[in-house]
Amino acid sequence: MPSNTSYSWYTMLVAQDPANRYAIQRPNGSWMVIDYSAGLRILNLHNEAKAFNFTIKDISIAEDQNHNAGYIFFRHQEAEQSLIPLLPGYVVYTTAGKKRFRLSILESNNQLLFFWEEFGFDFSYTDKKAQGVERLAFHCMLKQYGLESNTTIRTILGLYNPQIIYKLQKLVHEKFPLRYPSIFQRESLENLRNSAKKKEETLLHSLKRGQEEIDNFLCENDSNGNSQNILFGIQVESDGKVLPPKMTQVSMLKNLEYKQTIYSQNRTIKKLKEKVTSINNEGKCH
């Protein structure tokens, strides 16, 4: 096997399931692979927005105090964005203390479980050396390997990556809209603004084409010596109509309103035709 294989272990892992695995690079230059093949799930506990508390030394007390915890906390200038959800189905191939781990977030009785597997220096992640399961978001694993002082949960899970954080937070928001409202409401407002801008641009293009048709109409009338420039009952002026800005805006909105009405009516007519056809076909069968 080529000597540089160990440097592209993440490429090989991604190649095994490119639709569900993604390689991301840490700030220190090392790599990890995120695996979504198990499917991310949101639990009822995620509606509580409770973060894990890793300051309690007694494990049994810590487990009790962290009952229903489903987030890790990191300080952010916006408090709402300081909570990162831990979702069942999230799997990561990562390194910590020069050892390789596969970390999986599971669920049991609507509580999170954290399953870890250690593969030593095996970059193929096949030669398992040890494994364990816990309830404290891999905190016990880090402590067992003496890594809790210089390795954070965020680091080993890749939860410093903005795209991953966004994905997890959005999934929670979709099930529990009261979680992260300001983040995605801003996004929703921005989408509405962009949509409105595109509609206005489309309307302006349509009006421009309409003006070209009017110019052709006037030119044709002029060639035929017809001075009655009336179209759809409206006197057409060669220089156009001068309207106050507010009336111009009303005209634009009315134009879109009529188009929407026609679109809705056409859909209704289409459905009625399909229903009539279906009834006729049923009658023929009998």
Side-chain angles (χ1 to χ4, degrees):
M1 188 173 290
S3 59
N4 66 343
T5 302
S6 61
Y7 296 102
S8 58
W9 62 270
Y10 50 89
T11 304
M12 293 189 296
L13 283 178
V14 171
Q16 292 171 8
D17 189 0
N20 294 300
R21 291 180 177 176
Y22 305 88
I24 62 171
Q25 192 171 24
R26 288 173 168 172
N28 65 4
S30 62
W31 289 82
M32 62 174 55
V33 172
I34 312 299
D35 188 339
Y36 294 126
S37 61
L40 298 173
R41 299 177 297 283
I42 297 90
L43 306 181
N44 290 333
L45 61 83
H46 289 109
N47 197 27
E48 298 185 23
K50 180 179 178 180
F52 277 92
N53 179 1
F54 301 116
T55 62
I56 305 170
K57 293 184 178 181
D58 187 287
I59 298 300
S60 60
I61 296 176
E63 288 182 344
D64 184 61
Q65 291 293 319
N66 284 289
H67 180 76
N68 270 6
Y71 296 79
I72 58 173
F73 175 85
F74 79 104
R75 196 166 299 281
H76 192 280
Q77 61 183 7
E78 293 190 34
E80 187 179 64
Q81 292 184 262
S82 297
L83 289 175
I84 304 176
L86 300 174
L87 303 185
Y90 188 87
V91 178
V92 58
Y93 295 81
T94 186
T95 57
K98 296 184 179 180
K99 294 184 183 295
R100 298 183 180 274
F101 294 87
R102 178 166 58 207
L103 308 177
S104 306
I105 302 178
L106 311 174
E107 65 172 299
S108 176
N109 298 322
N110 198 42
Q111 294 293 306
L112 295 178
L113 285 178
F114 301 89
F115 179 57
W116 58 268
E117 300 163 277
E118 186 241 307
F119 296 88
F121 302 104
D122 179 20
F123 56 80
S124 67
Y125 289 84
T126 55
D127 185 15
K128 188 188 300 185
K129 304 295 184 182
Q131 67 179 42
V133 64
E134 61 173 280
R135 295 187 179 276
L136 293 178
F138 304 112
H139 179 70
C140 297
M141 182 206 77
L142 292 177
K143 191 172 183 180
Q144 177 178 327
Y145 283 88
L147 301 170
E148 75 276 15
S149 62
N150 57 6
T151 305
T152 66
I153 306 299
R154 282 186 67 206
T155 302
I156 61 170
L157 290 177
L159 297 179
Y160 51 82
N161 183 284
Q163 291 181 335
I164 293 176
I165 295 173
Y166 176 87
K167 179 184 181 73
L168 300 177
Q169 290 178 337
K170 187 172 179 62
L171 286 172
V172 172
H173 174 74
E174 288 172 353
K175 183 169 183 178
F176 301 116
L178 294 180
R179 302 274 74 85
Y180 309 110
S182 62
I183 299 174
F184 296 103
Q185 282 177 3
R186 284 198 303 267
E187 181 184 83
S188 179
L189 288 173
E190 187 63 28
N191 289 339
L192 285 174
R193 291 192 193 98
N194 290 336
S195 177
K197 185 177 180 181
K198 287 181 180 178
K199 279 190 175 182
E200 185 170 336
E201 289 173 352
T202 300
L203 175 58
L204 291 175
H205 285 304
S206 176
L207 292 174
K208 186 177 180 180
R209 289 194 300 271
Q211 183 57 52
E212 290 173 354
E213 293 173 0
I214 290 174
D215 289 341
N216 291 334
F217 167 77
L218 292 172
C219 185
E220 186 176 329
N221 276 1
D222 187 56
S223 299
N224 296 331
N226 184 0
S227 60
Q228 298 297 319
N229 297 325
I230 296 176
L231 193 61
F232 303 119
I234 301 293
Q235 181 68 45
V236 179
E237 310 290 347
S238 59
D239 294 329
K241 301 285 187 183
V242 179
L243 297 175
K246 288 187 176 181
M247 291 182 66
T248 301
Q249 181 172 260
V250 170
S251 298
M252 293 172 69
L253 293 174
K254 285 294 183 183
N255 178 283
L256 291 175
E257 180 185 349
Y258 293 147
K259 283 186 176 180
Q260 185 61 45
T261 300
I262 293 171
Y263 174 76
S264 298
Q265 289 175 344
N266 287 339
R267 286 190 63 186
T268 301
I269 292 170
K270 182 180 178 182
K271 288 181 180 179
L272 289 173
K273 285 183 176 179
E274 290 174 349
K275 190 172 183 179
V276 170
T277 302
S278 177
I279 292 172
N280 289 338
N281 290 337
E282 289 178 3
K284 290 178 181 179
C285 292
H286 293 296

